[in-house]
Amino acid sequence: MARVLVIGGGVGGLATAMRLQARGHDVTVIEARPRVGGRAYQFCEAGYTFDTGPTIITAPQLLRALWAAVGSNLDDAVELVPLRPFYEICFADGVRFSYWGEPEAMEAEIARLCPSDVAGYRRFLAATGVIYHRAFEQLARKPFLSLTSFLKIVPDLARLRAYRSVYSYVAQFFQDEHLRIAFSFHPLFIGGNPFRASAIYSMVPYLEHLGGVWFVRGGTYALVEAMARQFEQLGGNIQCGDPVIEIILREKRAAGVRLRSGAMLSADVVVSNADVATTYLKLLPAQYQNKGWGARLRHLKYSMSCFILYLGLIKQYPSLHHHTIVMPRCYRSIVEAIFHHELIEDDLALYIHAPTRTDPTLAPPGGETLYVLVPVPNLQADIDWSVMPHRLRERIFDMLEHRLGLTCIRQHIAVERRFTPCDFAGELGSYLGAAFSIEPTLFQSAYFRPHNRCADVPGLYLVGAGTHPGAGLPGVLASAEITAALVDADCAGLRRRLVLSVPLRSERYRAAACRPEHEHSGSRSEML
């Protein structure tokens, strides 16, 4: 059994902690904020409840596997509600597309826009099913700790056309531009540019088709609370409100952490669920910040950020779906501008989450809880975030009124909060305020992404959006599975090496050590 410290109580940190605690390790989660959650946080005000981060659940089988791994049942912990349709996509020319999971409903929507694209959709599902089963089921849940391990899959990546962008891959199946956009925008959900993210990420519609899109009753934070509760029931410990400011090394190995209060906690293993770049560039000693991954992280491409408005309304707008996506007039130009650190204020993309459409308890009677997200450049852009929020706010309200028909919305606001790239950097410790850490491109994936086991510092492991396999709840949950397995296997190997390194000084001890464990009257450590 190892003493494990997990830095950060986000979904990745909690999932790793659950798995390791269930395996018999002594795990403590250290969360900087007053409560666990990380990006998946929540706040309540005047009877309105807001999730601040992830709002949807895909690949629920990963959550079920997590609960099964700790000897429990997900359905006893949270209620997952299926969403139908998954999203409503509103294009600038007035076209609307309901994005369903059921093939019959999806094909009917496609036929309404372009009948000949129904056949293309079927081919698309078949092709992306192959990508999903190879890239996600077989590869995404394995560590890529060496270049050799990556080179073995290069032929597979070539066969899957991973070198193409998501948009160009999708375009070969659809003639209608609305449909090309509708089936290729998904990399934006994990901080990627659809016009340069690897075609591997075109599997997301298949993943949604296979497992559905779900909402957690009570909000995504109900899932976080269930994870924390399950972890503590297993015997784990959570400490909040005292951030880690340094990872302590002894003989170049991670041996604990120092907290802002001055307290020092010792450990055999440290797992960082903090932002990967922040872990290397702020928490490790200076000599690790300018070599290895510490040096490489300064030169990688990072995801865009987000500007988010949280609105509590005293009026309901029944025309809204649970998820609505408003596409800009010049979709490609806007996306490319964001990833080139430019913001075109008069043409925005919007993602609107109206959870009260599914769970009315998240707002007072007759009210509405809205989460409006705008993709924006990260802090590498020359944008003054002391003045930009007001300008974006007014543009957002104009679009909500004129594009979605939410008339007089400004007059019905009871609660309003904002979250900017500066908040991603300050409150969440995200390098450059990037909302999804490292941008998912082909050469920033798998082996080319920071590894789940830190190569530079023995005893340090990484989990979360910035490490393999990437951002989004499915990626983070897979990351936790990989990291926990590495920690557990490495600790078991270390115990075996320690046992074998102790000299057996007599025949009596040799005989005792060779007997099956159930025949020992005491522990192996007592006999050696």
Side-chain angles (χ1 to χ4, degrees):
M1 181 177 75
R3 295 170 302 162
V4 181
L5 292 177
V6 178
I7 304 171
V11 170
L14 289 173
T16 306
M18 287 170 64
R19 288 179 175 274
L20 290 174
Q21 188 69 34
R23 293 287 295 170
H25 300 282
D26 180 13
V27 186
T28 296
V29 173
I30 307 164
E31 169 56 43
R33 301 171 92 183
R35 293 178 293 145
V36 294
R39 284 170 170 78
Y41 214 58
Q42 188 181 78
F43 73 89
C44 302
E45 184 176 339
Y48 298 88
T49 299
F50 300 87
D51 280 324
T52 64
T55 58
I56 60 174
I57 302 294
T58 56
Q61 68 271 21
L62 296 181
L63 286 171
R64 297 190 186 282
L66 171 62
W67 254 262
V70 303
S72 193
N73 189 325
L74 174 68
D75 294 324
D76 295 332
V78 295
E79 179 187 354
L80 296 183
V81 183
L83 298 181
R84 297 184 179 91
F86 295 167
Y87 327 102
E88 178 83 1
I89 304 175
C90 303
F91 293 93
D93 60 3
V95 170
R96 293 198 174 205
F97 182 76
S98 293
Y99 188 104
W100 296 83
E102 296 84 357
E104 297 81 6
M106 187 73 92
E107 289 184 10
E109 276 292 284
I110 292 170
R112 188 172 57 82
L113 296 188
C114 183
S116 63
D117 276 345
V118 172
Y121 170 68
R122 293 170 182 166
R123 294 195 307 273
F124 174 72
L125 275 189
T128 53
V130 173
I131 295 175
Y132 170 83
H133 289 294
R134 183 60 178 136
F136 187 78
E137 289 287 354
Q138 299 176 25
L139 299 178
R141 293 158 78 175
K142 295 181 180 180
F144 286 92
L145 303 176
S146 67
L147 182 58
T148 302
S149 65
F150 178 76
L151 292 176
K152 289 179 181 178
I153 70 162
V154 167
D156 285 330
L157 296 177
R159 281 192 293 272
L160 297 174
R161 301 182 182 181
Y163 52 85
R164 298 185 68 171
S165 74
V166 170
Y167 178 84
S168 67
Y169 184 83
V170 169
Q172 67 184 321
F173 298 98
F174 299 97
Q175 300 175 40
D176 185 88
E177 185 63 18
H178 302 95
L179 296 176
R180 289 177 171 181
I181 293 172
F183 287 96
S184 68
F185 77 89
H186 297 82
L188 289 166
F189 280 166
I190 56 172
N193 179 346
F195 298 99
R196 70 185 185 201
S198 165
I200 292 296
Y201 296 99
S202 64
M203 70 179 176
V204 176
Y206 184 86
L207 180 148
E208 294 177 334
H209 156 79
L210 192 67
V213 172
W214 304 78
F215 175 71
V216 182
R217 181 79 66 186
T220 304
Y221 198 74
L223 173 65
V224 172
E225 292 178 312
M227 295 176 76
R229 186 165 57 248
Q230 182 69 61
F231 171 60
E232 291 181 318
Q233 288 172 357
L234 292 166
N237 179 43
I238 297 175
Q239 297 181 206
C240 295
D242 197 358
V244 172
I245 61 170
E246 180 186 0
I247 296 172
I248 298 170
L249 307 186
R250 293 196 182 94
E251 298 180 352
K252 297 184 179 181
R253 180 182 178 85
V257 299
R258 187 190 313 276
L259 307 182
R260 186 169 61 188
S261 65
M264 296 176 61
L265 304 178
S266 297
D268 303 306
V269 168
V270 175
V271 178
S272 181
N273 183 217
D275 183 83
V276 167
T278 299
T279 298
Y280 272 95
L281 302 178
K282 291 189 177 180
L283 300 184
L284 285 174
Q287 65 265 33
Y288 293 93
Q289 298 172 15
N290 298 303
K291 69 175 187 178
W293 272 105
R296 293 172 64 183
L297 283 162
R298 299 178 190 275
H299 302 290
L300 296 183
K301 292 183 174 70
Y302 286 82
S303 81
M304 82 285 191
S305 191
C306 301
F307 174 76
I308 308 173
L309 271 182
Y310 305 104
L311 301 172
L313 306 178
I314 59 174
K315 176 183 177 178
Q316 292 184 340
Y317 290 94
S319 61
L320 278 177
H321 288 259
H322 189 110
H323 295 294
T324 303
I325 297 168
V326 180
M327 291 295 180
R329 295 188 303 275
C330 303
Y331 171 71
R332 182 166 192 153
S333 298
I334 294 305
V335 170
E336 296 282 21
I338 290 169
F339 283 87
H340 285 96
H341 314 307
E342 301 171 3
L343 178 60
I344 302 174
E345 298 174 46
D346 63 349
D347 194 13
L348 304 176
L350 304 183
Y351 162 71
I352 300 105
H353 178 227
T356 35
R357 196 61 59 247
T358 303
D359 186 352
T361 66
L362 299 176
E368 194 91 87
T369 295
L370 293 188
Y371 163 122
V372 185
L373 181 150
V374 179
V376 297
N378 63 38
L379 293 177
Q380 288 179 289
D382 184 20
I383 296 173
D384 185 350
W385 284 105
S386 66
V387 298
M388 182 58 70
H390 177 73
R391 285 155 48 178
L392 286 179
R393 174 189 188 273
E394 295 308 309
R395 177 59 181 148
I396 289 168
F397 284 138
D398 288 343
M399 292 182 69
L400 293 177
E401 289 195 352
H402 299 130
R403 292 282 299 275
L404 295 183
L406 307 189
T407 56
C408 303
I409 186 172
R410 291 175 176 87
Q411 300 172 23
H412 298 105
I413 298 172
V415 174
E416 179 179 345
R417 290 198 194 179
R418 307 168 186 175
F419 207 80
T420 75
C422 294
D423 296 313
F424 277 97
E427 289 196 33
L428 297 176
S430 298
Y431 184 63
L432 297 175
F436 306 91
S437 192
I438 297 165
E439 183 186 343
T441 64
L442 180 60
F443 290 103
Q444 293 189 169
S445 299
Y447 173 75
F448 301 107
R449 207 169 181 86
H451 305 157
N452 305 85
R453 180 201 289 136
C454 180
D456 303 312
V457 181
L460 176 61
Y461 298 78
L462 303 169
V463 66
T467 188
H468 173 68
L473 287 180
V476 167
L477 290 169
S479 171
E481 182 180 348
I482 293 168
T483 301
L486 287 172
V487 171
D488 193 48
D490 291 350
C491 289
L494 179 60
R495 287 195 297 272
R496 286 194 296 270
R497 289 193 297 273
L498 288 173
V499 168
L500 294 174
S501 69
V502 177
L504 302 179
R505 291 182 296 273
S506 70
E507 292 299 324
R508 180 172 64 85
Y509 281 102
R510 288 192 183 93
C514 292
R515 288 201 305 271
E517 278 195 30
H518 69 270
E519 295 183 16
H520 293 314
S521 59
S523 70
R524 180 164 298 191
S525 62
E526 289 171 342
M527 290 184 290
L528 296 178

